[in-house]
Amino acid sequence: MNKKILAALGCGIAAAAMMGMTAMAEDGELIRVGYAQVGHESDWRTANTQNYQDTFTEENGFELSLIDCDNDNAAQLEAVRNFITQEMDYIIIAPIQSAGWDTVLQEAMDAGIPVIIADREIESDASMYDAWVGTDPTKEGETAGNWLAEYLDGADANILVIEGSVGASAAIGRTNGFNAVAETHDNWTILDSQSGDFTQDGGQEVMESFIKSYEGQFNVVVCQNDNEAYGAMDAMDAAGITYGVDGDVILISFDTTHDGLQYVLDGKIHCNVECNPIQAETVMGVINAMEAGEEYEAVTYVEEGAFVAPGIESEFATTMTQEILDGRPY
Ligand code: GYE
């Protein structure tokens, strides 16, 4: 029997699974799920939280306990330990940091509680948890780099990068993916790369300090999420630096939240690489399969694309339109 199925059966729900019950146990008991959420640092995160609250409902057979860990690694470890103490049926973790998970994952395993890692990646071996559902930041970073190469068509790039939170796989992957492409271009220089912590204030502060150091020297700004891009735009506006398809600076962002894509449609952000926060249905599917004792995907990457401003055609991205914006799920 599949190891993942054994793990599910091992946590005391085998009887329910074998009787063919669906998400809500037949005696009416809700499945108790604890979600250790990163925080509320970005619009992407708000959409992700909303998606979980809309999905893990009583109607669907769940009692969701969502803890906002406020981007604090210690608080997140404590939240997971509290879920273990409360004997949750399942624990979902969106890891703030990619490192340092082995001990608490072992504790969850010892307690027989299945763990699903969501959104971001962790360094722990896959045998330490039951399933993973999330995004591919390295690929996202590569997409940004490939699009930039295509758009520059051989022109020089002097690049400033506003990274996401230090130690988060979403930041590490986007940096690595973009750098891998940058290394193949002799005429690209990364002037500086600093963390803006995935927040608007962080993006603005980093951009203000970049402007002090590099004004007149850069023609590309890469922000690793939309909120950082909003902050960077404010800083450039204040300094009289123009960006976007009619400006001097090429602006790249990630997340494709509603406002981020509005800026693409308006030609202010050149390219916005998608990062899909709609993951809860996939996680619920995994849990329902575990409940039913069925096989499930141990690793699922959610679908992601990229969008570019009107007037730009790309092999790597879709040209933005109002119809696309109106039809977006988040
Ligand atoms: O890009 C950012 C958020 O982990 C993919 O976290 C997620 C990232 C997302 O704060 O806006």
Side-chain angles (χ1 to χ4, degrees):
M1 194 183 280
N2 180 311
K3 173 169 69 72
K4 300 294 180 191
I5 293 176
L6 275 176
L9 293 179
C11 72
I13 52 176
M18 281 164 184
M19 284 185 282
M21 293 178 185
T22 51
M24 193 186 306
E26 259 169 31
D27 58 6
E29 259 185 44
L30 300 171
I31 297 167
R32 295 168 66 240
V33 172
Y35 182 25
Q37 174 63 296
V38 169
H40 51 274
E41 70 285 0
S42 66
D43 294 355
W44 187 99
R45 188 63 54 196
T46 305
N48 179 258
T49 292
Q50 189 66 52
N51 178 228
Y52 273 87
Q53 285 167 342
D54 291 345
T55 305
F56 284 92
T57 57
E58 289 193 10
E59 213 175 29
N60 284 338
F62 295 95
E63 183 187 312
L64 176 67
S65 170
L66 188 147
I67 304 294
D68 177 336
C69 300
D70 202 16
N71 224 5
D72 178 339
N73 188 46
Q76 191 168 41
L77 290 171
E78 195 190 320
V80 174
R81 290 203 163 99
N82 284 339
F83 289 152
I84 296 171
T85 309
Q86 292 160 29
E87 298 179 351
M88 288 289 169
D89 295 317
Y90 295 87
I91 296 174
I92 308 167
I93 306 169
I96 294 167
Q97 299 276 308
S98 61
W101 284 99
D102 284 359
T103 307
V104 76
L105 289 178
Q106 186 62 55
E107 289 166 23
M109 208 185 286
D110 292 345
I113 303 175
V115 172
I116 297 154
I117 305 295
D119 165 20
R120 297 179 179 173
E121 295 154 342
I122 56 172
E123 289 174 6
S124 301
D125 191 81
S127 62
M128 301 290 297
Y129 51 91
D130 296 88
W132 183 92
V133 174
T135 58
D136 187 342
T138 307
K139 197 166 143 219
E140 292 165 4
E142 282 166 6
T143 300
N146 288 332
W147 173 78
L148 182 62
E150 178 193 52
Y151 187 73
L152 287 169
D153 196 22
D156 295 349
N158 289 297
I159 306 166
L160 292 168
V161 181
I162 305 181
E163 293 183 30
S165 304
V166 176
S169 71
I172 296 166
R174 286 170 194 171
T175 303
N176 290 344
F178 184 80
N179 286 353
V181 178
E183 277 160 21
T184 67
H185 295 275
D186 292 343
N187 61 343
W188 288 21
T189 305
I190 298 185
L191 297 168
D192 212 335
S193 194
Q194 302 284 339
S195 170
D197 217 8
F198 280 136
T199 65
Q200 179 159 348
D201 286 353
Q204 182 168 344
E205 272 168 37
V206 173
M207 194 65 224
E208 283 166 357
S209 91
F210 279 169
I211 291 170
K212 277 194 195 124
S213 308
Y214 306 102
E215 184 152 18
Q217 297 171 45
F218 63 92
N219 64 334
V220 179
V221 173
V222 179
C223 299
Q224 289 187 350
N225 82 346
D226 281 340
N227 292 82
E228 290 181 340
Y230 309 152
M233 287 191 274
D234 286 346
M236 287 193 278
D237 286 340
I241 296 167
T242 60
Y243 49 87
V245 291
D246 297 323
D248 292 332
V249 173
I250 298 170
L251 188 55
I252 296 175
S253 185
F254 295 80
D255 274 3
T256 62
T257 53
H258 182 276
D259 293 358
L261 284 179
Q262 180 71 58
Y263 281 117
V264 176
L265 189 60
D266 296 344
K268 291 295 189 184
I269 292 175
H270 284 74
C271 176
N272 202 328
V273 180
E274 187 171 24
C275 180
N276 188 349
I278 307 301
Q279 306 177 0
E281 290 84 353
T282 309
V283 174
M284 183 174 71
V286 167
I287 291 178
N288 285 343
M290 286 179 174
E291 286 286 294
E294 290 165 2
E295 274 192 54
Y296 58 89
E297 296 291 337
V299 174
T300 308
Y301 286 97
V302 292
E303 265 184 55
E304 308 188 275
F307 296 91
V308 284
I312 304 176
E313 294 294 327
S314 174
E315 181 191 329
F316 304 101
T318 305
T319 305
M320 196 59 201
T321 63
Q322 185 68 50
E323 290 69 33
I324 292 173
L325 187 61
D326 292 343
R328 295 287 293 171
Y330 58 94

